[in-house]
Amino acid sequence: MNIGILTGGGDCPGLNAVIRAVVKRGLQFGYEFTGIRDGWRGLIQPKPSTMKLTRQAVSGLLPLGGTILGTSRTNPFKDPKDTETLLRNIKDLKLDAIICIGGDDTLSVAEKLFARGIKTIGVPKTIDNDLSGTDFTFGFDTAVSIVTWALDRLHSTTEAHQRVMVVEVMGRHAGWIAVYGGIAGGADVILIPEKPFDVEEVCGYIKKRKEAGKNFSLVVAAEGAYPKEAGGMITKDKELDAFGHAKLGGVGEFLASEIEKRLGLESRFVVLGHLQRGGTPTAYDRVLATRFGVRAIEMVNEGKFGRMVALQGNKIVDISLQEATAKLKTVDMEMYRTAQIFFG
Ligand code: F6P
């Protein structure tokens, strides 16, 4: 059997660990592996862009950030000509199955392909942790660790200068990174896309702290968080990607300037951006990525397609790609209430 592997969407620590696990376990079944370069983009070229994934090619990948296959946010179903090329390339490359490592966009393509008779399996990847049916996606733990590291450092400088620091973290439609990172880093306010905020209320928490003798505050805002009065997310420009997503950014700057104006307190903002996605995965993400990879290729061996591997409790299970991509997994409000106990 010749198995294709691709990584799509934003990169995420642990992608290489999945590739390594799939290939190492798959070699035990006698499979061959074709790595598809740059996500779906690699399959819509007249000459597909691929590489052989041998034991040697995956050696040393476990701690490596990024993806040796490259990635892109290409949507091969946007233009019917691309879809045609995609299907032709899959046939010409004689791919018996494709393991698609990606978030909701990449996996929605995997689901469409499955509906057309291509044997696909999904592995849930995103630092945002917003895929349904899995308690965690790999990459999330690394992102949260980086946010915690950053907050610990920002804490001391913010306190020394008696400032307000607004830290903008990733999280487009779901504020999981903000909530977990914010709780771990002791944030005084945490803002998430699921709950549009009131600037006056945010200022109220900071004022309350000041009255209690705390002359500094740390605010964590997910990039997708927005003030009630704005009625929508703050974007960098009007440009949309192939899946219709705008480039987010600006809530940190907006909030720091509002706080300074309304409270007269010196404020700064920091955008952690792609720092949260780079570099080596944590031990937790290496283990989760490895478990996902092993199960994905075992599912090929069992002939179980159109499904995504998932973590439920401490068990690796599988759910249909349809269920996984039907809706995003937003922050559990019970969890947010725990975070709120520490506001102000
Ligand atoms: O894929 C998720 C994500 O990390 C979002 O939180 C963020 O909006 C986006 O990626 C940024 O991606 P890009 O690399 O395209 O700037």
Side-chain angles (χ1 to χ4, degrees):
M1 288 242 269
N2 177 19
I3 315 298
I5 308 180
L6 72 76
T7 54
D11 74 328
C12 168
L15 284 168
N16 286 321
V18 178
I19 297 169
R20 166 185 176 269
V22 168
V23 173
K24 285 205 165 181
R25 179 70 178 115
L27 287 171
Q28 296 171 352
F29 295 127
Y31 297 159
E32 275 175 37
F33 292 93
T34 301
I36 296 149
R37 290 185 195 270
D38 307 327
W40 298 115
R41 190 164 71 208
L43 286 178
I44 60 166
Q45 315 294 329
K47 187 178 175 309
S49 184
T50 61
M51 66 190 273
K52 277 280 156 231
L53 289 174
T54 57
R55 171 174 286 273
Q56 224 166 0
V58 300
S59 171
L61 288 192
L62 186 60
L64 205 66
T67 159
I68 56 159
L69 293 174
T71 187
S72 70
R73 293 193 186 274
T74 306
N75 180 358
F77 281 94
K78 203 173 167 204
D79 181 339
K81 276 199 229 102
D82 288 341
T83 317
E84 226 177 87
T85 315
L86 169 76
L87 293 168
R88 198 184 47 243
N89 279 335
I90 292 173
K91 204 164 157 235
D92 291 351
L93 286 167
K94 298 190 170 50
L95 298 178
D96 294 300
I98 309 176
I99 294 184
C100 313
I101 314 167
D104 58 329
D105 294 330
T106 305
L107 299 185
S108 66
V109 172
E111 199 220 329
K112 284 191 184 128
L113 281 175
F114 179 65
R116 289 174 184 231
I118 309 290
K119 293 173 176 166
T120 53
I121 285 178
V123 178
K125 162 250 57 155
T126 164
I127 64 161
D128 290 357
N129 194 37
D130 59 1
L131 265 167
S132 287
T134 186
D135 292 349
F136 291 104
T137 50
F138 70 86
F140 172 66
D141 184 67
T142 308
V144 169
S145 305
I146 293 166
V147 171
T148 309
W149 169 88
L151 287 176
D152 286 349
R153 270 143 192 84
L154 290 167
H155 217 115
S156 59
T157 170
T158 306
E159 184 168 14
H161 286 265
Q162 304 188 353
R163 286 172 171 156
V164 176
M165 185 68 70
V166 184
V167 188
E168 184 178 309
V169 302
M170 280 190 173
R172 177 177 286 279
H173 300 291
W176 291 105
I177 297 178
V179 172
Y180 271 73
I183 293 177
D188 303 304
V189 186
I190 300 170
L191 306 171
I192 58 174
E194 291 87 339
K195 200 174 178 300
F197 61 87
D198 178 352
V199 182
E200 269 313 302
E201 198 182 326
V202 174
C203 289
Y205 287 126
I206 296 167
K207 241 167 90 184
K208 191 175 144 210
R209 277 177 60 78
K210 215 170 156 42
E211 281 158 14
K214 292 278 188 189
N215 289 325
F216 74 99
S217 292
L218 277 173
V219 178
V220 171
E223 61 183 348
Y226 58 93
K228 276 181 191 150
E229 58 269 32
M233 292 174 188
I234 304 176
T235 53
K236 278 213 190 331
D237 49 42
K238 298 241 171 309
E239 216 181 294
L240 300 181
D241 71 13
F243 289 94
H245 306 305
K247 241 183 253 155
L248 298 183
V251 64
E253 184 172 9
F254 162 81
L255 207 54
S257 127
E258 283 300 313
I259 292 167
E260 191 158 302
K261 238 189 305 182
R262 296 185 194 207
L263 296 179
L265 297 174
E266 196 180 11
S267 304
R268 295 284 190 271
F269 70 95
V270 174
V271 181
L272 294 184
H274 295 82
L275 262 179
Q276 295 159 95
R277 288 214 317 236
T280 189
T282 57
Y284 180 90
D285 279 337
R286 293 180 200 191
V287 173
L288 184 59
T290 300
R291 294 178 78 196
F292 278 164
V294 165
R295 183 64 198 131
I297 194 68
E298 287 181 346
M299 280 163 64
V300 170
N301 195 44
E302 290 162 18
K304 243 180 163 183
F305 299 104
R307 303 189 68 77
M308 180 189 87
V309 294
L311 178 75
Q312 289 179 4
N314 196 27
K315 290 266 172 284
I316 303 294
V317 298
D318 55 87
I319 61 166
S320 74
L321 281 169
Q322 202 173 16
E323 186 189 343
T325 56
K327 64 173 174 37
L328 284 178
K329 185 186 69 186
T330 51
V331 166
D332 170 6
M333 282 303 143
E334 201 50 54
M335 178 91 195
Y336 190 63
R337 270 191 290 280
T338 303
Q340 276 177 315
I341 292 170
F342 303 91
F343 288 9

